Amino acid sequence: MVFSSTIFLFLFLPFALLGYYLIDRRFKNVFLLLTSIAFYAWGEPAFVFVMLFSVLMNYGFAILVCLKKEQFYQRSILTLMVAFNVSLFFYYKYLDFTIFNLNQLFGWTLPPKGIALPIGISFFTFQAMSYVFDVYRGKGQLQKNPLNVALYIMFFPQLIAGPIVRYETVAREIENRRETLDDFAKGIKRFIAGLAKKAILANSIAVIADRAFGYTNFSELSVLMAWLGAVAYTLQIFLDFSGYSDMAIGLGLMFGFHFEENFNYPYISKSVSEFWRRWHISLGTWFKDYVYIPLGGSRCSTSRQLFNLFVVWLLTGLWHGAAWHYVAWGMTHFVLLVFEKFTNLPRRLNHKISRIGYQFFTMTAIILGRVLSRSANLPYAWGYLKSMFGLMRNDMTDVLAMFLLLDNLVIFSFAFLASIPFHWKALDKIYGLREITYLLLYILSLSFIVNSSYNPFIYFNF
Amino acid sequence: MTKKLIQIMFIVTFSVLLGMGVTFNISALWRIFNKEAVLSSSWHKVSSKIESLLKEQTYKRNKFIDLYGVFMLALRKTMIGDFEFIKDEWGIMQCCDKTPQTVSFKRSLAALKKYLDSINTPLIFLQMPNKLDDVSLTAAMHFSGQKDYDLMAYLSQIDIDVLDLDKTYADIPITLRKQRFILRTDVHYATYAEFDSAKVLTNHLSKKYGIKFINLGTIFDIANWNITAYPFLGNTARSAGRFFAGIDQFEVYSPKFQSNLSLFNERGQAVRSGDFKNVVMNGYEKRENIDLYTYWVTNYGQWPKPYYRYTNNAIGKAPKILILADSTFLRGIAFLSLVCSSVTVVDTRYLKNIPYVEQALNEEIYDAVVITGKSILQSKFTVRTTLPQLTERPLQISNYWIGKNGVCLDTYNGIRLENSKEISIDRRNSMTELVGWAADFSTKKPLKALYIQIGSKTICCNYGIRRTSVSDHYKDTNLTNTGFSVTFPTAYFGNGKIKEIQFIQVGTDGTYRYEPVTYEIAYSSNRD
């Protein structure tokens, strides 16, 4: 079930909210857990049990890690916990990829397992590990009630596409939260903003990206079409993902939870380093806190730092998908970050023009990187990138590209506005005008949802 | 305080909107959840189906779509959805489509052409006006109904007569053509386009093939028709709404004059009889809840039936036409039913492996076969391929005539023949089967081969069938395998022009030594 669907908006959400606010406080968590299980089961009934098993195991690991304070013991438990979660993750997400590569490398003929990927496994696995790590570090209290652990991991707003909620941020709220009118109103606005980003903007722009990346003959893919597709995908992935995060955060607020921000206008970043402080913040901080820093972070030799960064970006690429073009994408960002780290750019740039130039370079690098992640495989990505620069004997422009550009100029404008910290002050001039705008936006989003046959959700695949 | 109040009102309004979403759609949800077909599938299919059905049945869905269309106008968009529909520079909603795969259709056409040629029946491809005339985007993508020039070239190559209405209407200015013939919001044509196309078709059949129609002047005089226009939002506009796409005026034509027609189904059963309105039209104009979404196109004809026939009980002697068409000519077929004694319709998209085209060809002898449509170009159909192999007439090798020899015809289409040299042919039968026996009496052995000559056509008979009655009669077992049979289309008799047939016997020495045995042909009844 996705948030931008009629079944969610006309059935699930109204009943979830009604039930939550009617039920006694003692049972609110149980109610939320049951609705979250129903939410997940709607799309993946069989994998609910996998998730419940994961919850149970991680609940057990957290208890075990708190039993003794002996470092060796605790680290052994943590190792077991990581091994369990990574194994589960590996089995569902990377086993077939590994089999394929072993076959390629050694000429074996191991049969692939054809394992279906449970929706949201990348998110809830990391979330589950976060619980045990935070309990171990004392950043969150051990949950004696397994239902609360289950709720933390399976809470439907962030279950299938994040943000990866750190246990320490919601530990207190699981047992002790208060729903306020202010939060509820903010939650609605956030939800509607996310819904509009997704249903209106992301879905509209996705059409362009899909058409551009659908070419198989690169000589027919004009330079304009290739850039249009790459820029469209860059916008789409942001609107799609940040839209979903907005909806998740908004829904959290409606139920009294305060999730941390996941996006902070990443496309205004002046460097790649800054980009990763603004893009998918929850994933970046997860890797920083649970992988980079434990490995030594920056407080070690240069070679060790490089190694730590390499590991993080290798894992980041792999997290996004079990395919080499995702690894390549991760490595691209590794190279760029290392470049900035060791050259100290753009801090060293004093002139405004050079800073703007570097910002332009950053944005171009991000767009080109998106081609890697959007492509089906590395050879395709390479062909596409070459088409962007006219190196595939392709024309500069074509009828279809011009049509798509002109037909979507206004949509692109709105998409750009949604990507920058634009605050329409005119809406604050009249009391209630902003609220009315949100409500109209909700109805408009509904009109797109009701009419659409096309509703892709990119980060669902993770 | 004001801020607090606004906040409360905002929350309440949102909650009311959510509540309305549930309340107004609960009945649709209940219907969907209870639907057997949905629940009998796997869960994945069920959940997808429920979501899809709920979207289709959302309360006031059309209003939402209108709102969507307004916003798309504000965004200055011309494309709806993921390359579903595009509003072209003429304001016409075009349906994006993949380039049709016509390979199977071409093969079927070639087989049909071959068969029809053998029975001297003309085959005409009616190319309706190009909806995408002067539309720039056709350079970049394919649209439904786009003229297939590759197919046109193929049709010319296999010598199929193409009646290209773009050429017929070339003198009409393009703006007028688009206004008169094209619906802005639907893949189908305006009623006037089908009316005039039917008229052009009948004129073409009359002039080129000498097919005689009657009452053309009355039937195709628009003054003899009641025309009622209804606001109509067609199938290319239902995802965009009335404000985005505009509204067509769908003209429903009903005749002022009397008519007497019958409708027959694929089993030959009469399902309707009466006048044009009761037989050909489906009574949408009598409905209580006529609105923008009433799909007037199917107010005519029998969509989506694969096979049906109209007979005109009031017209007397008139042409019989077979039409292979999709829904783009439903109204045209309706008009043709008034000038033909019968119109047989096969929609090859819905055959489901039943050989309805063959059935149609076997049931009647037609004055013409017409093909028209867009989506049928991706269908295929079978045509009887068991036509007798025509051969060269065997040459008489020697001048030494032995004289007339033993050929005896026993039955015609299973009916015992008197011992006479005349066969009375019933031309209502599409096939003719002759069964008999023949032998080489000079050698008292079976012939080497037996041929039948019908006009210019020579067919080698199936010879050597066991006939113990012959060997018993002549008390000679060598004459056992002397039976023969031959089957061929009755149309080989050339509409009654052929007056005799000949049996040519090739003797045991491989030579044509005997005078051909002649049978005179009379016609017991005509197909008219």
Side-chain angles (χ1 to χ4, degrees):
Chain A
M1 197 188 298
V2 296
F3 297 155
S4 55
S5 66
T6 47
I7 197 83
F8 181 82
L9 295 168
F10 293 157
L11 184 67
F12 185 88
L13 182 61
F15 282 110
L17 283 170
L18 186 69
Y20 182 78
Y21 282 100
L22 284 179
I23 213 163
D24 188 82
R25 182 157 289 285
R26 291 171 294 168
F27 305 113
K28 282 192 188 306
N29 281 356
V30 174
F31 177 79
L32 279 184
L33 176 62
L34 291 172
T35 48
S36 300
I37 291 173
F39 178 86
Y40 194 76
W42 178 264
E44 303 277 5
F47 291 127
V48 167
F49 300 102
V50 172
M51 202 160 43
L52 286 170
F53 174 63
S54 168
V55 165
L56 206 62
M57 290 298 289
N58 285 288
Y59 168 75
F61 283 127
I63 289 175
L64 286 172
V65 94
C66 291
L67 269 181
K68 285 191 204 173
K69 291 295 173 195
E70 194 189 305
Q71 202 180 50
F72 175 76
Y73 167 79
Q74 283 184 318
R75 287 198 172 182
S76 306
I77 298 296
L78 284 176
T79 308
L80 267 174
M81 180 274 292
V82 170
F84 166 76
N85 282 295
V86 169
S87 304
L88 197 70
F89 195 31
F90 176 85
Y91 175 77
Y92 281 106
K93 193 160 178 176
Y94 301 105
L95 182 59
D96 278 346
F97 175 62
T98 308
I99 289 171
F100 173 78
N101 285 290
L102 286 173
N103 288 344
Q104 293 280 87
L105 204 57
F106 300 112
W108 294 345
T109 53
L110 298 169
K113 299 290 178 196
I115 300 163
L117 185 68
I119 292 173
I121 190 168
S122 308
F123 293 95
F124 74 69
T125 306
F126 274 43
Q127 205 145 306
M129 287 198 279
S130 163
Y131 167 65
V132 184
F133 280 133
D134 285 356
V135 164
Y136 161 71
R137 289 177 180 184
K139 288 188 176 177
Q141 199 180 357
L142 171 71
Q143 278 292 344
K144 296 215 173 96
N145 185 349
L147 296 179
N148 287 345
V149 175
L151 177 63
Y152 159 67
I153 294 170
M154 297 174 71
F155 188 34
F156 76 85
Q158 28 77 190
L159 173 60
I160 51 178
I164 301 170
V165 176
R166 302 276 289 278
Y167 179 62
E168 61 174 308
T169 61
V170 295
R172 194 183 52 78
E173 286 181 339
I174 285 174
E175 284 181 332
N176 189 14
R177 64 184 177 277
R178 280 285 171 261
E179 303 84 10
T180 64
L181 280 175
D182 200 43
D183 279 345
F184 199 90
K186 277 186 194 159
I188 294 172
K189 288 176 190 171
R190 200 65 191 268
F191 178 80
I192 292 172
L195 187 68
K197 268 188 191 174
K198 165 67 189 144
I200 299 174
L201 296 176
N203 285 0
S204 301
I205 284 180
V207 168
I208 303 168
D210 285 355
R211 182 53 61 122
F213 282 91
Y215 280 77
T216 48
N217 183 351
F218 290 115
S219 63
E220 291 172 2
L221 176 63
S222 67
V223 173
L224 175 61
M225 188 66 168
W227 276 97
L228 209 53
V231 169
Y233 182 68
T234 304
L235 286 167
Q236 179 201 350
I237 195 171
F238 167 68
L239 293 164
D240 199 276
F241 198 14
S242 71
Y244 200 93
S245 292
D246 286 339
M247 286 191 272
I249 291 166
L251 286 167
L253 282 168
M254 286 190 225
F255 293 101
F257 287 92
H258 297 79
F259 301 146
E260 292 194 339
E261 292 297 330
N262 208 18
F263 292 88
N264 184 17
Y265 303 103
Y267 292 155
I268 62 167
S269 301
K270 295 181 185 61
S271 65
V272 177
S273 311
E274 186 184 349
F275 175 78
W276 279 102
R277 290 194 293 275
R278 291 173 175 271
W279 176 274
H280 202 176
I281 298 166
S282 63
L283 182 74
T285 51
W286 196 98
F287 274 116
K288 186 184 87 177
D289 290 347
Y290 300 123
V291 178
Y292 186 65
I293 289 172
L295 283 174
S298 310
R299 295 179 187 185
C300 46
S301 65
T302 306
S303 56
R304 178 66 189 203
Q305 266 185 66
L306 277 170
F307 172 76
N308 296 342
L309 280 169
F310 174 79
V311 168
V312 165
W313 287 102
L314 175 68
L315 293 177
T316 303
L318 277 172
W319 181 91
H320 281 83
W324 290 114
H325 60 282
Y326 287 115
V327 175
W329 171 79
M331 289 297 100
T332 307
H333 283 268
F334 163 68
V335 166
L336 288 166
L337 283 164
V338 163
F339 170 75
E340 285 184 0
K341 199 175 182 63
F342 293 103
T343 59
N344 210 17
L345 283 171
R347 261 172 276 172
R348 279 171 50 196
L349 299 171
N350 296 318
H351 207 276
K352 193 176 177 185
I353 291 174
S354 55
R355 283 179 184 266
I356 291 171
Y358 194 82
Q359 191 171 6
F360 179 77
F361 162 77
T362 300
M363 206 53 231
T364 308
I366 288 162
I367 292 171
L368 296 177
R370 289 286 176 231
V371 172
L372 279 170
S373 62
R374 178 60 176 81
S375 300
N377 48 55
L378 276 175
Y380 188 90
W382 184 233
Y384 195 99
L385 285 167
K386 282 163 75 177
S387 301
M388 289 171 81
F389 296 97
L391 301 173
M392 297 298 280
R393 292 193 190 154
N394 49 328
D395 293 334
M396 280 304 290
T397 182
D398 64 271
V399 171
L400 183 60
M402 283 308 297
F403 166 73
L404 286 173
L405 176 64
L406 295 171
D407 204 52
N408 292 282
L409 267 180
V410 180
I411 276 271
F412 269 123
S413 307
F414 278 115
F416 281 126
L417 282 176
S419 309
I420 60 174
F422 174 77
H423 185 84
W424 200 356
K425 289 180 184 159
L427 290 179
D428 296 326
K429 286 190 175 162
I430 302 171
Y431 273 128
L433 188 57
R434 190 172 284 277
E435 282 72 17
I436 291 172
T437 307
Y438 273 108
L439 292 170
L440 290 173
L441 202 56
Y442 175 69
I443 294 169
L444 189 61
S445 304
L446 268 184
S447 75
F448 272 69
I449 290 164
V450 164
N451 191 36
S452 78
S453 56
Y454 188 67
N455 191 18
F457 229 140
I458 301 171
Y459 265 75
F460 239 35
N461 299 321
F462 309 133
Chain B
M1 188 61 197
T2 315
K3 198 180 166 187
K4 195 89 182 166
L5 189 62
I6 289 168
Q7 213 173 52
I8 293 168
M9 283 173 64
F10 175 65
I11 291 169
V12 166
T13 309
F14 181 73
S15 305
V16 166
L17 284 173
L18 280 185
M20 281 167 70
V22 177
T23 313
F24 290 129
N25 289 292
I26 200 78
S27 54
L29 278 162
W30 186 250
R31 267 197 313 274
I32 292 163
F33 275 108
N34 281 325
K35 206 170 171 171
E36 264 182 54
V38 164
L39 293 173
S40 62
S41 304
S42 70
W43 177 251
H44 266 252
K45 285 182 186 167
V46 165
S47 56
S48 307
K49 191 82 183 162
I50 289 171
E51 293 192 31
S52 161
L53 285 170
L54 182 56
K55 239 194 265 189
E56 285 169 24
Q57 296 179 37
T58 300
Y59 181 74
K60 296 286 184 199
R61 183 170 191 267
N62 290 331
K63 298 280 181 242
F64 278 114
I65 291 174
D66 285 342
L67 176 62
Y68 168 83
V70 167
F71 193 61
M72 296 304 265
L73 276 175
L75 292 175
R76 310 197 58 80
K77 294 268 296 169
T78 58
M79 185 168 77
I80 298 295
D82 181 12
F83 286 93
E84 286 174 59
F85 306 102
I86 294 178
K87 186 158 67 172
D88 69 18
E89 47 261 65
W90 299 91
I92 296 170
M93 294 296 292
Q94 303 288 1
C95 177
C96 303
D97 203 356
K98 292 185 194 154
T99 311
Q101 300 303 312
T102 57
V103 170
S104 300
F105 185 74
K106 284 174 182 170
R107 261 193 237 122
S108 304
L109 261 188
L112 179 64
K113 171 73 174 151
K114 185 179 172 185
Y115 176 75
L116 293 176
D117 278 349
S118 74
I119 57 171
N120 297 316
T121 302
L123 174 61
I124 296 96
F125 187 90
L126 175 65
Q127 173 62 54
M128 294 293 283
N130 189 8
K131 283 192 83 173
L132 287 120
D133 218 356
D134 207 30
V135 170
S136 57
L137 266 179
T138 51
M141 59 178 95
H142 189 88
F143 294 91
S144 169
Q146 195 164 328
K147 198 166 176 178
D148 189 337
Y149 290 98
D150 174 63
L151 179 68
M152 297 289 112
Y154 177 76
L155 295 175
S156 295
Q157 192 186 321
I158 62 169
D159 206 31
I160 289 181
D161 181 13
V162 177
L163 175 55
D164 188 345
L165 294 178
D166 280 332
K167 290 181 183 161
T168 312
Y169 299 134
D171 291 337
I172 301 174
I174 188 169
T175 321
L176 200 57
R177 280 207 304 270
K178 293 214 186 246
Q179 266 173 20
R180 230 187 242 183
F181 296 145
I182 311 292
L183 287 172
R184 287 167 63 184
T185 68
D186 200 87
V187 294
H188 299 95
Y189 291 92
T191 309
Y192 179 77
E194 295 197 28
F195 181 81
D196 204 64
S197 303
K199 182 177 169 184
V200 170
L201 174 65
T202 50
N203 284 338
H204 178 76
L205 291 174
S206 181
K207 281 187 188 145
K208 187 163 180 178
Y209 300 101
I211 296 171
K212 288 185 174 49
F213 292 91
I214 56 174
N215 291 338
L216 283 185
T218 308
I219 306 298
F220 286 115
D221 181 354
I222 208 153
N224 293 327
W225 291 81
N226 291 315
I227 299 173
T228 314
Y230 295 90
F232 172 65
L233 199 68
N235 56 17
T236 56
R238 292 183 182 196
S239 294
R242 71 179 87 179
F243 301 111
F244 183 89
I247 298 174
D248 277 308
Q249 292 296 318
F250 192 98
E251 291 180 336
V252 174
Y253 285 31
S254 54
K256 290 179 183 171
F257 48 84
Q258 302 285 347
S259 54
N260 185 356
L261 302 158
S262 295
L263 167 66
F264 292 85
N265 65 12
E266 70 278 10
R267 290 184 296 277
Q269 297 160 336
V271 292
R272 289 185 199 172
S273 281
D275 65 11
F276 182 90
K277 271 182 124 172
N278 289 318
V279 173
V280 176
M281 294 174 73
N282 296 312
Y284 289 13
E285 61 277 6
K286 294 174 198 161
R287 288 179 179 177
E288 279 178 15
N289 52 349
I290 291 172
D291 62 10
L292 268 188
Y293 304 94
T294 304
Y295 203 65
W296 293 103
V297 171
T298 53
N299 190 29
Y300 296 83
Q302 294 292 301
W303 180 86
K305 295 264 194 276
Y307 184 105
Y308 56 97
R309 175 178 292 133
Y310 292 120
T311 60
N312 191 331
N313 307 316
I315 201 165
K317 185 176 170 179
K320 294 186 180 184
I321 308 269
L322 168 63
I323 299 188
L324 308 189
D326 57 26
S327 54
T328 49
F329 204 58
L330 283 174
R331 284 157 284 162
I333 288 165
F335 303 129
L336 282 177
S337 70
L338 291 166
V339 296
C340 297
S341 66
S342 79
V343 175
T344 305
V345 185
V346 179
D347 190 331
T348 55
R349 297 173 300 171
Y350 305 122
L351 295 181
K352 292 183 186 167
N353 293 324
I354 299 173
Y356 284 119
V357 174
E358 287 183 22
Q359 177 179 327
L361 291 169
N362 288 337
E363 285 179 354
E364 290 272 14
I365 293 175
Y366 301 97
D367 291 281
V369 176
V370 178
I371 300 183
T372 188
K374 298 170 192 175
S375 40
I376 62 158
L377 304 184
Q378 300 194 75
S379 68
K380 61 179 181 182
F381 53 90
T382 53
V383 177
R384 179 182 290 272
T385 54
T386 53
L387 285 172
Q389 187 83 27
L390 299 179
T391 98
E392 296 290 323
R393 185 184 168 108
L395 291 173
Q396 186 178 358
I397 292 165
S398 142
N399 286 326
Y400 177 52
W401 283 102
I402 288 184
K404 287 184 187 176
N405 215 287
V407 175
C408 182
L409 254 187
D410 291 323
T411 62
Y412 155 67
N413 281 0
I415 303 165
R416 194 114 196 109
L417 288 169
E418 298 301 318
N419 191 15
S420 127
K421 287 298 187 208
E422 187 181 88
I423 310 168
S424 183
I425 299 292
D426 184 349
R427 284 177 53 226
R428 289 173 303 180
N429 295 319
S430 59
M431 297 299 284
T432 292
E433 187 196 36
L434 299 171
V435 174
W437 64 270
D440 181 349
F441 274 98
S442 65
T443 58
K444 289 277 177 65
K445 281 182 183 169
L447 295 170
K448 197 161 178 80
L450 180 71
Y451 293 82
I452 184 171
Q453 184 88 36
I454 312 145
S456 60
K457 297 182 175 63
T458 311
I459 306 168
C460 185
C461 299
N462 177 22
Y463 185 81
I465 299 170
R466 190 175 168 82
R467 289 292 300 264
T468 51
S469 57
V470 176
S471 55
D472 286 346
H473 178 79
Y474 288 100
K475 293 182 175 54
D476 187 344
T477 51
N478 286 328
L479 297 175
T480 307
N481 297 319
T482 54
F484 75 87
S485 72
V486 64
T487 308
F488 52 89
T490 307
Y492 280 11
F493 288 110
N495 293 347
K497 291 185 184 129
I498 304 288
K499 299 298 178 198
E500 65 175 36
I501 56 173
Q502 288 184 332
F503 283 97
I504 302 153
Q505 312 135 84
V506 175
T508 42
D509 61 355
T511 65
Y512 161 18
R513 299 183 285 125
Y514 302 106
E515 270 190 53
V517 176
T518 303
Y519 284 84
E520 284 174 17
I521 302 297
Y523 295 97
S524 62
S525 58
N526 292 322
R527 57 182 179 78
D528 298 322

